[in-house]
Amino acid sequence: MEAKESTGSAAPAERHAGWNELFFDLVVVAGAGQLARLLHDGPQPADLALYAVVYLAFWTTWAGFAVYGDIAASETRVRTLLIAMFGMAVMAASVHTVQSSHATAFVIAYVALRWQAGQVWRRGSIVVDWPLAQFGAGAVPWLVSLFVDTPLRYWLWALGIALDIVTLLVSTRERTLRRAGERAARRRDGRPPPGPAHGPVAEPPRLGESRIDAAHMGERLGLYVIIVLGEGVIQIIDAASERDGWDGPLAATGLGAFGLLAAICTLSLLYGTNGIPICARERSRRGWRCCCTR
């Protein structure tokens, strides 16, 4: 059979999560499993708040390296992913006693990984879809928390997470590029960008944009949700296996927890897009969009 003559440019090859990325994502299983220990004693509001803060610390760390692997593609350095996995393993191992003896190890590993996630990019390459690659102010409160005691330490952790969330919500492509250009100019000249009062305006540094592969990153997000939901099922089974007698309250709790996971799966994967729940009006426009692409 003769091949048909091409009438246009070839469509880009579809990417899927590679073996290195899947291996890296397995660390999420360890992290999610250890996080459940924070709620073993019967969750109080303070326990739930700490759980949310520590979970988001894991998520921002994972997302930073997931974006790196998405953009770097075949140029991703395996050594970088392995170092990141080791750091996240330290965070996971520290969770059980993060309120006491291992808080320092958790914070040091988290801050080091946040720093590394910003260093993997070439100078002048701006990741407009993940502004935390350039702006790591959210890690500063975590670093300061090494020198204070509880409960102020936890408030500093929450402040760091809040700064990251605000950065993700308010950043746009134009704002990210402008702020990155101003920082590059200060590094180059050692002073604020020159203006009319300081002589001729210097040519701003040239910055390149790095954009995500939306389809590939959407697949990574969907896999992340599946991994976390799977760890939730493991936790339900593990909790039931530790009970000698199975009674009505245990059955009700197990069914309720399983039903909750099933509902999240339905909303996120079956009626959502790439693990992200969407409303019915948006289903006709499926496709993952980062908060910075608006």
Side-chain angles (χ1 to χ4, degrees), residues 105-128:
F106 183 90
V107 171
I108 291 176
Y110 173 70
V111 173
L113 288 177
R114 286 293 303 273
W115 176 83
Q116 186 192 20
Q119 297 300 310
V120 295
W121 303 100
R122 296 186 299 271
R123 182 62 62 88
S125 178
I126 307 304
V127 188
V128 295

Side-chain angles (χ1 to χ4, degrees), residues 95-236:
V95 166
H96 182 48
T97 53
V98 75
Q99 295 172 283
S100 55
S101 57
H102 289 158
T104 299
F106 183 90
V107 171
I108 291 176
Y110 173 70
V111 173
L113 288 177
R114 286 293 303 273
W115 176 83
Q116 186 192 20
Q119 297 300 310
V120 295
W121 303 100
R122 296 186 299 271
R123 182 62 62 88
S125 178
I126 307 304
V127 188
V128 295
D129 293 326
W130 184 251
L132 298 186
Q134 293 81 222
F135 309 116
V140 175
W142 289 80
L143 189 60
V144 175
S145 72
L146 292 174
F147 307 99
V148 301
D149 296 324
T150 57
L152 179 57
R153 173 184 299 163
Y154 304 139
W155 285 107
L156 287 172
W157 294 0
L159 174 62
I161 294 298
L163 288 175
D164 287 338
I165 293 176
V166 170
T167 299
L168 291 174
L169 292 177
V170 305
S171 293
T172 62
R173 173 182 175 275
E174 292 75 15
R175 185 179 293 117
T176 299
L177 290 174
R178 183 178 68 252
R179 291 178 59 189
E182 292 172 352
R183 294 181 59 184
R186 287 195 295 268
R187 285 195 302 264
R188 181 194 60 189
D189 299 333
R191 59 181 184 275
H198 301 87
V201 177
E203 181 180 355
R206 293 184 178 181
L207 301 174
E209 297 183 36
S210 296
R211 306 302 298 266
I212 63 168
D213 182 329
H216 176 259
M217 193 62 194
E219 183 182 64
R220 292 293 305 278
L221 286 172
L223 290 172
Y224 176 89
V225 173
I226 290 175
I227 289 173
V228 173
L229 290 176
E231 179 57 32
V233 174
I234 293 173
Q235 291 294 325
I236 296 173

Side-chain angles (χ1 to χ4, degrees), residues 29-41:
V29 176
Q34 292 298 314
L35 282 171
R37 293 176 176 269
L38 297 176
L39 307 177
H40 274 186
D41 295 332

Side-chain angles (χ1 to χ4, degrees), residues 14 34 52 59 67 73 109 111 122 124 131 136 192 223 238 242 262 287:
E14 184 178 1
Q34 292 298 314
W59 184 84
V67 170
V111 173
R122 296 186 299 271
L223 290 172
D238 186 59
E242 294 178 353

Side-chain angles (χ1 to χ4, degrees), residues 42-67:
Q44 302 297 323
D47 297 325
L48 292 173
L50 181 61
Y51 178 95
V53 168
V54 175
Y55 169 80
L56 289 172
F58 270 100
W59 184 84
T60 53
T61 303
W62 172 86
F65 288 99
V67 170

